[in-house]
């Protein structure tokens, strides 16, 4: 089974802190994605990566950056957390662009005070 | 970015009843996926529909893609508590998924 794990299920941070959200997949997938999920808005794509060291902006990249130094790990970084970044963050992966299905992690619920 | 609207936003029904939820778009879908997200978990793919008019069945779930490929529906027969969750439709555009707003379904035992 594909396994996508996220470093924390719940996280509480203060405004202005630098926040790292880690995602690891164990199936040698090429592509990885970061979404945020808010009630009534569905999932919105923040950043994605088609390969190691590659990154592309999604629909809402402002206030975020990412890092993909190894194929299995994709990190989301909030340089200076703000209260409007309180949300559920979901990581996903898929084998490659020829595959339609994405495999999701369980999510990290981030609260910024 | 195409807007995918799902309705209803919330639905709460008794075990054993039937239900239908909808996904509508402002333009033609290339292909459409349905995901289910259970509490505390990430979304899991249920089905992908590609052809206008296509119908796919997954046990008690029936997925239909509109003839004009601008809408899709998910029908659940004899709902069970295990069907509880958030149902999301998503369109694949340029190798990326655009998700709908979701229908939160609660089945009452």
């Amino acid at each position: 089974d594909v396994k996508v794990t996220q470093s924390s299920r719940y996280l509480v941070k203060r405004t202005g802190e630098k926040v790292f959200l880690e995602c690891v997949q164990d199936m040698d997938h090429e592509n990885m994605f970061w979404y945020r999920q808010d009630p009534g808005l569905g999932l919105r794509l923040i950043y994605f990566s088609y390969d190691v060291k590659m990154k592309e902006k999604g629909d809402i990249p402002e206030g975020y950056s990412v890092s993909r130094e190894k194929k299995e790990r994709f990190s989301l970084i909030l340089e200076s957390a703000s209260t409007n970044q309180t949300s559920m963050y979901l990581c996903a992966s898929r084998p490659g662009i020829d595959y339609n299905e994405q495999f999701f992690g369980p999510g990290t619920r981030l609260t910024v005070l | 970015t195409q807007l995918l609207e799902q309705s209803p936003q919330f639905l709460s029904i008794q075990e054993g009843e039937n239900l239908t939820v909808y996904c509508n778009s402002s333009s033609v879908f290339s292909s459409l996926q349905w995901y289910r997200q259970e509490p505390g978990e990430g979304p899991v793919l249920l089905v992908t529909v590609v052809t206008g008019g296509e119908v796919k069945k997954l046990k008690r779930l029936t997925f239909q893609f509109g003839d004009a490929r601008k809408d899709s529906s998910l029908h659940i027969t004899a709902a069970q508590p295990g069907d509880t969750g958030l149902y999301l439709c998503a369109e694949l555009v340029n190798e990326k998924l655009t998700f709908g707003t979701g229908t939160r379904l609660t089945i009452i035992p």
Side-chain angles (χ1 to χ4, degrees):
Chain A
D1 282 349
V2 176
K3 188 84 171 169
V4 180
T5 56
Q6 296 185 227
S7 51
S8 304
R9 295 298 293 261
Y10 300 93
L11 207 53
V12 180
K13 296 291 182 181
R14 298 225 173 255
T15 301
E17 281 193 74
K18 190 169 186 176
V19 181
F20 292 86
L21 302 182
E22 304 286 342
C23 175
V24 178
Q25 50 91 7
D26 67 358
M27 289 302 292
D28 200 36
H29 285 179
E30 299 284 339
N31 306 158
M32 297 187 74
F33 306 83
W34 274 107
Y35 296 88
R36 65 176 283 176
Q37 182 175 29
D38 300 288
L41 296 177
L43 277 71
R44 293 178 292 167
L45 182 63
I46 304 171
Y47 266 96
F48 60 101
S49 169
Y50 283 161
D51 204 347
V52 179
K53 308 263 185 193
M54 293 178 63
K55 58 185 179 184
E56 299 283 344
K57 292 180 179 178
D59 297 320
I60 52 163
E62 296 78 19
Y64 304 94
S65 63
V66 289
S67 173
R68 194 166 180 204
E69 295 297 319
K70 293 185 177 181
K71 190 175 187 179
E72 67 271 18
R73 187 180 299 270
F74 193 34
S75 303
L76 180 69
I77 304 156
L78 287 67
E79 293 289 341
S80 178
S82 62
T83 55
N84 63 14
Q85 292 178 309
T86 291
S87 186
M88 170 69 82
Y89 289 87
L90 289 162
C91 174
S93 72
R94 73 179 176 197
I97 60 173
D98 293 334
Y99 292 81
N100 291 335
E101 181 176 4
Q102 292 188 14
F103 299 87
F104 285 83
T108 295
R109 183 163 294 283
L110 172 67
T111 301
V112 182
L113 302 176
Chain B
T1 302
Q2 178 162 238
L3 193 63
L4 274 65
E5 294 196 8
Q6 292 187 243
S7 60
Q9 188 175 359
F10 299 96
L11 183 59
S12 183
I13 65 170
Q14 294 286 335
E15 182 177 358
E17 292 184 0
N18 301 333
L19 66 105
T20 303
V21 298
Y22 302 91
C23 175
N24 294 284
S25 170
S26 55
S27 54
V28 175
F29 290 120
S30 54
S31 66
L32 190 77
Q33 298 182 340
W34 283 93
Y35 286 79
R36 178 170 65 208
Q37 184 178 18
E38 297 182 12
E41 301 297 330
V44 175
L45 180 66
L46 296 173
V47 76
T48 301
V49 287
V50 178
T51 307
E54 184 175 4
V55 177
K56 284 192 173 180
K57 292 195 174 184
L58 187 65
K59 296 183 181 179
R60 294 176 293 99
L61 279 60
T62 301
F63 303 85
Q64 189 155 4
F65 203 14
D67 290 339
R69 291 164 53 210
K70 294 183 71 174
D71 57 88
S72 181
S73 63
L74 160 57
H75 181 80
I76 300 179
T77 304
Q80 298 179 2
D83 296 326
T84 290
L86 179 67
Y87 288 81
L88 294 158
C89 63
E91 183 189 20
L92 188 67
V93 179
N94 297 326
E95 292 91 41
K96 296 179 291 180
L97 288 175
T98 297
F99 283 85
T101 50
T103 293
R104 188 164 296 281
L105 175 64
T106 302
I107 307 302
I108 303 166

